[in-house]
Amino acid sequence: MRYILALAIGVCAGYSYGFTDAQHYDKPIVERIVARVGGKDRERFMNDADRKMNDYQQSR
């Protein structure tokens, strides 16, 4: 019974937080967190094989 009560409280809290968050921001919270974690250096670590081959061919 305690587990069901704890689960119900968690679902209610998560729903209310998500609802108020959605009213304040256009992007979902997960998308904002991923953008924040990636930071400025995200572009350096992208794996774009076509761009790497083009850069290699242009440097020759």
Side-chain angles (χ1 to χ4, degrees), residues 23 32 34 42 47:
Q23 290 180 342
R32 292 192 321 261
V34 168
R42 182 179 10 188
N47 189 11

Side-chain angles (χ1 to χ4, degrees), residues 11-25 29 32-33:
V11 167
C12 290
Y15 182 80
S16 65
Y17 177 76
F19 184 76
T20 56
D21 185 68
Q23 290 180 342
H24 289 126
Y25 299 102
I29 190 168
R32 292 192 321 261
I33 290 173

Side-chain angles (χ1 to χ4, degrees), residues 31-44:
E31 188 175 337
R32 292 192 321 261
I33 290 173
V34 168
R36 188 181 318 158
V37 169
K40 296 177 185 176
D41 293 331
R42 182 179 10 188
E43 295 296 324
R44 288 180 38 205

